[in-house]
Amino acid sequence: MTLSHPSSVTLPIHAVLADIRSAFNEQSQLILEAPTGAGKSTALPLAMLAWPEINGKILMLEPRRVAARNVAQFIAKQLGQSVGQDVGYRVRGDTKVSQHTRLEIVTEGILTRMIQHDPELTGVAVIIFDEIHERHLPTDLGLALALEVQQSLRDDLTIIAMSATLSGLPLSNLMPDARQISSQGRSFDVQHQYQPCPAQQSWLMHMARVINDTVNDASLAEYQLGSVLAFLPGKGEINKLARLLNERLDSTWLICPLYGDLSPAEQDRAIGLTEPGKRKIVLATNVAESSLTIEGITIVIDSGYRREASFNPKTGVTRLGLRRISQASAVQRSGRAGRLASGYCVRLWSKEEHGRLRKVDEPEISLSELTSMALDCASWGAKTFTELSLLTSPPAIHEQVAWQLLQQLALTDPQRKLTTLGHQAYALGCHPRLAHMLLKAKQVASDQSRPQLCVLACILAGIIEARGLPKKGADIHHYLTEALRGQINQQVRQWQLSLAVSGQLQDAISQASTRDISYLLALAYPDRIAKARGQDGFLLSNGTGVVIAADDSLAHEPWLVVADFQETQGRNAGQVYLAARLDERSFEDELSDLVTRQVQGGWDEAKGRFFAEKHTKIGQIIIKVDTGITPQRADITAALLEQVRVKGLTILNRDAALIQLQYRVELARYYAPEHDWPCLTDTHLMATLADWLGPYIEQVNSLAALAKVDAYGLVKNRLSWQQQTLLDQLVPTHWPMATGTRAPIRYQMPLDANGDFYHSDAEQGRALLSVRLQEALGLAQSPSILHGKMIVTMELLSPAQRPLAVTADLASFWQGPYAEVKKEMRGRYPRHLWPDDPVNTVATKFTKKKTPGL
């Protein structure tokens, strides 16, 4: 059909529409840089609907649900239509499309699901990635999958990546052949003021005062015709500031929160025009930074904070903390004041601090928990994230933790392929932990004819995923009735439908036992079973410490299962927000699969003997210890190796010869690496104890016997026979003198704080040859080793074996300092040779009387 577009204001993007259309017909990949206000999110897709060469659907990704709905509504309005006709949207929990929809605005995770369901993206002609500079994790993944689809299955698919800025964005690495087009932005001048919070004052109170002063300042009249947009880090701060402002401002002001958890109606109230006679102050998270046009904004008040989530791989939980925004984010925020006319922006930090802010924000993939992404990866058939064309590689430890959890939940096998349960979990579309709980609950409910157990699992999953729960303490049992209403109820019923499980929620709630709840939570969080540890809160089975409010009903329970806890800045232990009591008897029944039993051997320092114990454990929590077990040979060997790890190599017979061997090999590795020398540093030897020491202590039963082990011989045998022979040639232990003496060479190396060698400073090592001066006579130059790459330092000794001089340049010594040595030594050792011409004198190890020719 032919679309009739209404006339509209000319936007900067209109100036490059012809170039975009031309490139569209020639290229399958486009990169569009268009600053805020250019019209890329609205005018471009609107224009593309009229291009007859696009034979298929256009998908445009928006990072946030509120933006996706807003953009779809705006474009549909331009067409004189309602949403769901030519223009529709898909966000989680809300879809408005029809069979006639040609432009779908979707959130990022929706695209990934569409590609996984239909890798050929049947009927889709164009994918537009909007606001890609925000670097959300689902955007990075969606782009990687789309590029692979384009390359392997759909060469007719067009991919357009749109960003407010390309600075620091490695798009050209992934799309080297893409056509790049730049558009101007549309914005008016914005005046910036810096008003940092005074010391000892709450920044939120300071922000309330600044907003009040700004809207009542007569000198700012030219900016006060519009509305105010204030940026805050999160929902909690927004609600507190709303209360503070309501106390200060009169009824002509509308205080409108704007964050992701609000209903569409509440979001529309914040975004739309205000009623006559009213002015509006929008209190928003960074959801309002880009994509979203809020009507009538002329003043921006920026707290300068964002709430940043950072995954801690050691605890398996995401830590929330306040952090300063980047300079790029500050530019985006202040630009919202200049969309319609000249604007005014107050930044609640100093100009000097602004210069120290990060240039751009870190991508989410560097900070996030990656379990869901790993499940996506496995579903796609990839075994590592490196197989995907990602803009940024995630931290290796984050990826490792994600794969480990999937295997622990039996969603992937050791080869990282999806199991049958894994395929079912991916189809559910929730976090893998919750998917595992739901599917296992369904299986147990069927096996035991207890359908209400699966309904209860759906309820628990809904509560765990919900945002903005009322405060009823940490016991999740207190929140079960929340599933009877609102969005939680809708989600619970959706899972019932997906699992084909019927049953009344009220019945499941009334019949729910604490044991059932804790069992279900343990299916999702086997690593968060918690044991009380006195005044220090609880220890989780993953080794993490957590605390719970002292007045909470769960505070004095011996065992818990923790469903939700968070780590925050300035706290040593995570704070528990949702948990359930756990009956220890479950470890012998429904949770027995989580219990491990292992015999551990060790050395009892106090009793001076080896011992063995059988530990019954849940993760890192010891449930029971059985003593009096006779240590097995493997236990004794393991205990001996552990003693070496704890006390270091000094517990062995580590003599000077071994240390010299280590130094010599390290010099050979540096100066003659072509011979593939093994690493013999302390760190490497400690890391490989089981390889070089373990097999040779099978008959050792005490620390005294361990101290007699021939450590030098064992370490030397890490070298092949050929390498040992070559080492003696290149880095000898002695130097043959003309007198027949084999003068010893001591090697010295610079060490770091751990006692290891500095590889980059190996040239600072030295070989020190100690010999009496008379035996060095006749030597014109200092000896060299390692094929002449290293000069041997001479330590010249007196007849009494006392050091006289140390030099790495023997020729210079003979010509200079030797004269003073000779003058002093002739009187002290008159019977020994102190020639005037040392270079042309034959070396001797005797006195003058015994030296032939004298």
Side-chain angles (χ1 to χ4, degrees):
M1 79 181 266
T2 301
L3 295 171
S4 177
H5 293 175
S7 60
S8 59
V9 176
T10 300
L11 297 169
I13 200 71
H14 289 133
V16 295
L17 283 180
D19 292 337
I20 295 173
R21 187 170 183 179
S22 173
F24 181 87
N25 291 315
E26 299 169 2
Q27 302 280 124
S28 61
Q29 296 179 353
L30 279 74
I31 298 174
L32 175 61
E33 183 177 28
T36 299
K40 64 181 183 296
S41 305
T42 52
L44 175 58
L46 177 63
M48 291 174 68
L49 284 173
W51 296 354
E53 58 266 37
I54 298 180
N55 186 24
K57 186 177 293 184
I58 302 169
L59 295 181
M60 185 165 79
L61 274 75
E62 288 294 336
R64 299 176 178 86
R65 286 176 288 181
V66 58
R69 283 192 292 257
N70 186 248
V71 169
Q73 290 166 355
F74 181 85
I75 297 176
K77 184 177 180 181
Q78 298 300 303
L79 296 172
Q81 299 178 356
S82 58
V83 176
Q85 295 177 271
D86 284 300
V87 182
Y89 66 78
R90 292 178 191 263
V91 300
R92 186 175 181 183
D94 186 12
T95 298
K96 287 190 178 180
V97 297
S98 68
Q99 60 181 352
H100 304 295
T101 301
R102 297 180 54 225
L103 170 63
E104 284 190 21
I105 318 297
V106 302
T107 44
E108 304 140 312
I110 300 292
L111 174 67
T112 301
R113 288 270 157 185
M114 293 173 73
I115 293 176
Q116 296 271 22
H117 178 72
D118 177 15
E120 293 190 359
L121 287 176
T122 306
V124 176
V126 183
I127 304 178
I128 302 173
F129 290 85
D130 194 16
E131 310 295 358
I132 203 167
H133 64 276
E134 294 192 9
R135 298 303 310 278
H136 290 193
L137 178 58
T139 302
D140 283 11
L141 178 59
L143 178 62
L145 297 184
L147 288 171
E148 190 167 330
V149 167
Q150 185 188 59
Q151 182 178 3
S152 58
L153 301 172
R154 288 283 313 279
D155 58 2
D156 62 325
L157 180 68
T158 299
I159 295 176
I160 303 176
M162 303 197 304
S163 177
T165 176
L166 296 180
S167 176
L169 190 63
L171 269 176
S172 56
N173 295 341
L174 291 189
M175 306 164 67
D177 299 323
R179 173 81 176 275
Q180 292 195 21
I181 297 173
S182 295
S183 167
Q184 298 297 313
R186 187 190 73 168
S187 62
F188 295 87
D189 290 338
V190 175
Q191 178 183 343
H192 294 92
Q193 290 291 327
Y194 294 88
Q195 295 189 31
C197 180
Q200 309 303 320
Q201 183 175 340
S202 160
W203 68 265
L204 208 54
M205 292 290 291
H206 174 63
M207 190 170 188
R209 182 181 59 79
V210 169
I211 292 175
N212 183 63
D213 292 347
T214 302
V215 299
N216 290 299
D217 188 343
S219 67
L220 301 176
E222 63 177 301
Y223 307 116
Q224 292 172 350
L225 297 177
S227 295
V228 178
L229 172 60
F231 284 99
L232 293 106
K235 172 184 173 181
E237 291 84 1
I238 286 175
N239 290 334
K240 288 178 183 176
L241 184 58
R243 290 193 293 271
L244 291 172
L245 292 177
N246 279 321
E247 295 171 359
R248 288 168 166 77
L249 300 174
D250 59 39
S251 59
T252 61
W253 289 96
L254 294 177
I255 309 300
C256 301
L258 180 58
Y259 48 86
D261 291 348
L262 292 173
S263 68
E266 291 172 307
Q267 292 172 353
D268 290 344
R269 178 171 177 264
I271 294 169
L273 289 170
T274 57
E275 58 189 87
K278 294 282 189 180
R279 294 178 65 195
K280 179 171 61 178
I281 298 177
V282 179
L283 307 181
T285 61
N286 54 7
V287 68
E289 266 188 31
S290 55
S291 298
L292 200 60
T293 299
I294 302 176
E295 300 290 349
I297 298 297
T298 55
I299 295 176
V300 165
I301 312 292
D302 189 357
S303 71
Y305 288 114
R306 58 176 293 184
R307 180 153 282 110
E308 188 170 87
S310 180
F311 179 66
N312 184 349
K314 291 184 179 180
T315 61
V317 74
T318 297
R319 173 180 295 170
L320 293 177
L322 283 185
R323 191 174 182 185
R324 278 297 187 194
I325 60 174
S326 65
Q327 292 183 20
S329 184
V331 170
Q332 288 285 322
R333 290 182 174 189
S334 65
R336 310 309 283 182
R339 296 291 290 272
L340 304 175
S342 295
Y344 183 77
C345 173
V346 182
R347 290 170 171 168
L348 303 185
W349 61 95
S350 69
K351 192 170 185 178
E352 185 270 337
E353 183 182 0
H354 183 79
R356 300 197 309 267
L357 297 179
R358 294 170 291 169
K359 298 297 182 185
V360 296
D361 292 316
E362 289 185 72
E364 281 188 358
I365 197 170
S366 299
L367 303 170
S368 297
E369 189 245 4
L370 301 175
T371 311
S372 293
M373 183 173 175
L375 190 64
D376 266 306
C377 199
S379 180
W380 189 245
K383 296 181 180 179
T384 66
F385 293 173
T386 56
E387 295 179 36
L388 304 176
S389 299
L390 295 168
L391 281 168
T392 302
S393 297
I397 184 62
H398 290 201
E399 180 178 358
Q400 179 184 340
V401 168
W403 288 110
Q404 287 173 345
L405 179 58
L406 290 184
Q407 189 173 338
Q408 183 181 9
L409 296 175
L411 303 184
T412 59
D413 63 19
Q415 287 71 46
R416 296 183 176 179
K417 292 183 179 179
L418 281 187
T419 60
T420 301
L421 190 67
H423 283 287
Q424 297 171 351
Y426 187 80
L428 281 179
C430 54
H431 192 281
R433 288 182 182 273
L434 299 183
H436 180 259
M437 176 183 71
L438 292 168
L439 292 168
K440 295 295 286 186
K442 180 181 179 181
Q443 178 184 332
V444 172
S446 175
D447 293 344
Q448 299 180 3
S449 300
R450 299 176 59 202
Q452 295 300 331
L453 186 68
C454 191
V455 179
L456 178 60
C458 293
I459 292 170
L460 293 174
I463 293 167
I464 292 168
E465 279 211 333
R467 296 180 178 181
L469 287 172
K471 293 183 178 181
K472 298 181 179 181
D475 192 342
I476 200 169
H477 202 288
H478 298 158
Y479 297 90
L480 297 184
T481 55
E482 297 296 318
L484 299 177
R485 52 189 170 270
Q487 294 182 344
I488 301 179
N489 180 263
Q490 296 176 21
Q491 182 61 78
V492 170
R493 295 194 180 281
Q494 180 58 51
W495 277 326
Q496 282 188 273
L497 186 63
S498 299
L499 294 165
V501 174
S502 59
Q504 296 297 316
L505 303 189
Q506 184 62 65
D507 292 342
I509 292 170
S510 61
Q511 297 173 23
S513 68
T514 298
R515 187 154 180 167
D516 283 343
I517 292 173
S518 60
Y519 166 62
L520 292 172
L521 292 184
L523 292 175
Y525 304 99
D527 53 335
R528 296 187 190 174
I529 290 173
K531 183 180 181 181
R533 53 179 187 182
Q535 298 298 318
D536 295 326
F538 293 81
L539 176 68
L540 299 185
S541 51
N542 66 11
T544 303
V546 295
V547 295
I548 196 167
D551 59 350
D552 194 277
S553 61
L554 299 180
H556 303 292
E557 292 294 322
W559 290 90
L560 301 175
V561 183
V562 177
D564 182 30
F565 80 97
Q566 288 184 349
E567 295 178 324
T568 54
Q569 292 174 328
R571 292 185 180 179
N572 295 326
Q575 180 71 39
V576 175
Y577 291 106
L578 283 177
R581 296 176 179 85
L582 176 64
D583 189 333
E584 189 175 357
R585 291 173 295 181
S586 301
F587 300 146
E588 300 174 1
D589 192 359
E590 62 265 32
L591 296 181
S592 60
D593 289 345
L594 299 180
V595 177
T596 60
R597 293 172 177 84
Q598 62 187 80
V599 175
Q600 288 187 252
W603 173 258
D604 189 323
E605 197 76 46
K607 297 180 179 179
R609 63 178 177 81
F610 293 102
F611 67 91
E613 298 174 340
K614 184 167 79 171
H615 290 183
T616 303
K617 303 172 72 177
I618 291 279
Q620 295 186 37
I621 297 176
I622 298 176
I623 302 174
K624 184 173 65 169
V625 177
D626 294 321
T627 59
I629 298 173
T630 302
Q632 301 297 309
R633 180 64 246 177
D635 299 328
I636 295 175
T637 299
L640 288 169
L641 293 178
E642 184 60 25
Q643 282 296 298
V644 178
R645 294 188 186 98
V646 171
K647 297 181 179 178
L649 293 173
T650 54
I651 196 176
L652 300 172
N653 182 21
R654 189 193 188 211
D655 56 13
L658 174 53
I659 296 172
Q660 285 293 298
L661 176 65
Q662 291 178 281
Y663 289 171
R664 292 167 64 207
V665 171
E666 195 64 19
L667 287 169
R669 291 179 71 216
Y670 184 83
Y671 286 106
E674 65 274 12
H675 298 295
D676 195 26
W677 306 97
C679 179
L680 298 184
T681 65
D682 283 6
T683 297
H684 186 78
L685 290 177
M686 292 291 283
T688 57
L689 283 175
D691 297 331
W692 66 271
L693 181 61
Y696 302 98
I697 57 173
E698 291 298 325
Q699 303 305 316
V700 175
N701 292 307
S702 69
L703 295 184
L706 183 65
K708 297 178 182 179
V709 169
D710 180 18
Y712 171 79
L714 295 180
V715 174
K716 186 177 181 179
N717 285 336
R718 304 293 284 171
L719 302 170
S720 67
W721 182 85
Q722 292 85 352
Q723 286 174 326
Q724 291 182 33
T725 302
L726 186 60
L727 184 68
D728 288 339
Q729 296 171 3
L730 294 177
V731 198
T733 60
H734 292 78
W735 188 265
M737 305 302 295
T739 59
T741 296
R742 294 181 71 248
I745 301 177
R746 303 193 315 276
Y747 293 92
Q748 299 170 340
M749 291 283 290
L751 304 178
D752 63 18
N754 297 318
D756 267 341
F757 315 120
Y758 283 117
H759 290 279
S760 61
D761 290 340
E763 70 272 12
Q764 294 182 21
R766 71 174 182 173
L768 188 66
L769 187 156
S770 297
V771 68
R772 286 182 295 185
L773 183 145
Q774 283 73 18
E775 295 194 65
L777 296 174
L779 278 177
Q781 300 287 345
S782 300
S784 65
I785 58 175
L786 288 158
H787 296 310
K789 296 178 181 178
M790 188 174 193
I791 302 298
V792 174
T793 299
M794 304 286 289
E795 184 183 44
L796 300 174
L797 307 176
S798 72
Q801 305 285 342
R802 301 287 191 273
L804 295 176
V806 177
T807 178
D809 187 349
L810 191 59
S812 296
F813 172 75
W814 291 138
Q815 295 172 9
Y818 172 68
E820 289 297 321
V821 172
K822 176 183 65 174
K823 183 187 302 183
E824 182 180 349
M825 291 296 108
R826 270 180 172 171
R828 185 175 300 179
Y829 299 102
R831 292 188 298 170
H832 290 78
L833 192 61
W834 303 99
D836 295 330
D837 186 6
V839 175
N840 293 307
T841 302
V842 176
T844 181
K845 56 181 178 180
F846 303 112
T847 62
K848 287 187 290 185
K849 182 177 181 180
K850 295 182 179 181
T851 301
L854 293 178

